[in-house]
Amino acid sequence: MRIAKIAAVTAALAIGLAACGGGSEGTKSGGETPKAAKPDKLTVWRFGPPDDKHNAFMAEVGAEFQQKHGVKVEVQFIPWPDTTKKLQAAATSGSGPDVTEIGNTQVVTWAAQDTLVDLTDKIAGWEEGKQIPEALWVNETIEGKKYAVPWLGGVRAVIYRKDWFKELGIEIPKTWDELLAAAKKISSAKKGVSGFEINGGSDSMHAVAPFIWGNNGQIVANEGGKWTGKLGTPEAKEALTWYTNLVLKEKVAPESGVTRNSVDISRLFANGKTAMFVDGAWAKTVLKEANKDLTDDKIGAFPLPTKTGGVAPQFAGGNDLAVWKDSKNQDLAFEYIKLLASKEKAAKYAPIAGLLPFYPDLLAGDTYKNDEWLGPFAQAMPFGRTYAVHSNWVKAEETVMQQLLTSVIKGKSVDEAAAEADKQIDQTLNQ
């Protein structure tokens, strides 16, 4: 796991999903940190643009931690586009934060660079953490060792113009056929509006995966210790054909969509240019900031359906918390993670962040069941899946689906494009 070079991080982490400590003696595998004097502060890196609610919550947690441990917490928010560069700089310089937020699919890559602390023993002694199902630790566990703590998770759903559905008498789609019919009706009634916007950008894998899984297909599988792309299987190709035909045959999505990611699409949605797209619950804040007129009676969400009905499996993305290897305060850093990832804090912060807690009893509670916006996302959470837990997966995740969709939209057959995508997956994961 530690043979990769630091230079590989840039390629493997082309997308982003916490100030600095000096070098330290580190820890033995899962062992205790050498005793050290209590620090003046603990540094935490968070990713994304903060707002007043996020800042208030982090300040509240910091104050509680300081009261209990006598140590101030300094939180630094890093813009999403800068996260890879920031983490790489910390890795190469031998410095970094005490605690960092990290995307769950990124854990394997950074653990391979020996930049994250093995938290296995600490997690084993964390009683509240035992309530998080073992199946949700897949991305955090490499060769039997845990390098991060699942904090909050997210799945995707279809975000739609609720007012247009009501105006046109459209019921919530339960199958692919109904989804297409709704898209056609809106495109026909609303000039210049795409009924369902395809995602061909940097996060296109997350938008397309539910269609493949929702048709009993696969994207990648580990067969006898070797990773194999599965986009060329009949089930996957049928889903890819349906998806690309939204542009090529049905004309309910523009060809230019093949260059757009969810951020680009959300801007179109906010400006009334598209009626449906796939994204996470966190998109609501972005949409409302972009267009103050998008009130709750105008935007809604529903679970993305399988081909024949039911909730489609979703990629269960997550924001994890990890201790950076260069921290001199590793025990204290884990105490902070335990507080931030506690059931009490997860219940309070998840709605603010537009994410979902990993504690089953919170997820099944009335908070989500009765929430018109978060409810559809909570419905999909039990169907959460992951991709290949591999240090090179992030590289494949960003490039494979983009190239496949682009080549099909430009005229290549799905058969040929899928075969090329599988070959790329095989080469990326088995090198």
Side-chain angles (χ1 to χ4, degrees), residues 194 196-198 246-247 251-258 260 268:
S194 61
F196 189 102
E197 194 78 19
I198 72 163
L246 293 173
V247 174
K251 309 297 183 182
V252 296
E255 184 175 331
S256 56
V258 79
R260 300 189 184 108
L268 290 176

Side-chain angles (χ1 to χ4, degrees), residues 92-161:
T92 55
S93 66
S95 63
D98 294 299
V99 175
T100 185
E101 180 177 2
I102 187 169
N104 63 351
T105 60
Q106 295 180 347
V107 173
V108 63
T109 300
W110 290 108
Q113 304 308 313
D114 198 22
T115 58
L116 305 181
V117 173
D118 173 8
L119 299 175
T120 307
D121 289 348
K122 290 180 171 60
I123 290 169
W126 178 32
E127 288 302 316
E128 194 171 41
K130 294 176 183 178
Q131 298 179 40
I132 301 173
E134 192 62 32
L136 297 178
W137 293 85
V138 172
N139 286 293
E140 295 74 19
T141 307
I142 297 97
E143 297 179 352
K145 298 177 181 179
K146 294 182 171 69
Y147 288 89
V149 169
W151 181 24
L152 296 171
V155 290
R156 286 159 175 78
V158 179
I159 297 174
Y160 75 107
R161 283 295 299 260

Side-chain angles (χ1 to χ4, degrees), residues 154-173:
V155 290
R156 286 159 175 78
V158 179
I159 297 174
Y160 75 107
R161 283 295 299 260
K162 189 192 302 185
D163 53 338
W164 292 353
F165 270 50
K166 183 177 180 180
E167 174 191 337
L168 298 172
I170 301 172
E171 298 292 330
I172 296 299

Side-chain angles (χ1 to χ4, degrees), residues 56 111 200 211:
F211 290 97

Side-chain angles (χ1 to χ4, degrees), residues 104-328:
N104 63 351
T105 60
Q106 295 180 347
V107 173
V108 63
T109 300
W110 290 108
Q113 304 308 313
D114 198 22
T115 58
L116 305 181
V117 173
D118 173 8
L119 299 175
T120 307
D121 289 348
K122 290 180 171 60
I123 290 169
W126 178 32
E127 288 302 316
E128 194 171 41
K130 294 176 183 178
Q131 298 179 40
I132 301 173
E134 192 62 32
L136 297 178
W137 293 85
V138 172
N139 286 293
E140 295 74 19
T141 307
I142 297 97
E143 297 179 352
K145 298 177 181 179
K146 294 182 171 69
Y147 288 89
V149 169
W151 181 24
L152 296 171
V155 290
R156 286 159 175 78
V158 179
I159 297 174
Y160 75 107
R161 283 295 299 260
K162 189 192 302 185
D163 53 338
W164 292 353
F165 270 50
K166 183 177 180 180
E167 174 191 337
L168 298 172
I170 301 172
E171 298 292 330
I172 296 299
K174 304 295 186 184
T175 65
W176 287 4
D177 285 345
E178 292 178 8
L179 188 64
L180 178 57
K184 284 183 172 181
K185 192 167 188 177
I186 292 169
S187 291
S188 177
K190 304 282 182 182
K191 186 177 181 180
V193 173
S194 61
F196 189 102
E197 194 78 19
I198 72 163
N199 180 332
S202 58
D203 54 353
S204 56
M205 183 70 76
H206 304 324
V208 181
F211 290 97
I212 295 173
W213 289 331
N215 196 39
N216 297 315
Q218 291 179 283
I219 294 169
V220 61
N222 191 318
E223 298 177 336
K226 181 180 179 181
W227 290 101
T228 304
K230 294 293 184 178
L231 294 171
T233 58
E235 297 84 359
K237 288 192 295 184
E238 183 181 18
L240 291 166
T241 299
W242 188 92
Y243 193 79
T244 51
N245 272 346
L246 293 173
V247 174
L248 298 173
K249 179 182 176 182
E250 308 298 347
K251 309 297 183 182
V252 296
E255 184 175 331
S256 56
V258 79
T259 65
R260 300 189 184 108
N261 59 28
S262 60
V263 175
D264 302 323
I265 297 168
S266 67
R267 295 193 186 102
L268 290 176
F269 185 94
N271 291 322
K273 298 299 184 182
T274 188
M276 293 183 281
F277 73 107
V278 176
D279 205 357
W282 52 84
K284 186 176 185 180
T285 300
V286 177
L287 294 173
K288 286 193 168 187
E289 287 178 352
N291 185 350
K292 305 298 183 184
D293 293 332
L294 283 179
T295 51
D296 287 346
D297 62 327
K298 293 182 179 179
I299 56 176
F302 61 85
L304 201 156
T306 67
K307 178 184 177 182
T308 57
V311 179
Q314 298 279 322
F315 166 63
N319 293 27
D320 288 356
L321 298 169
V323 178
W324 198 252
K325 194 67 174 285
D326 295 313
S327 170
K328 293 181 179 180

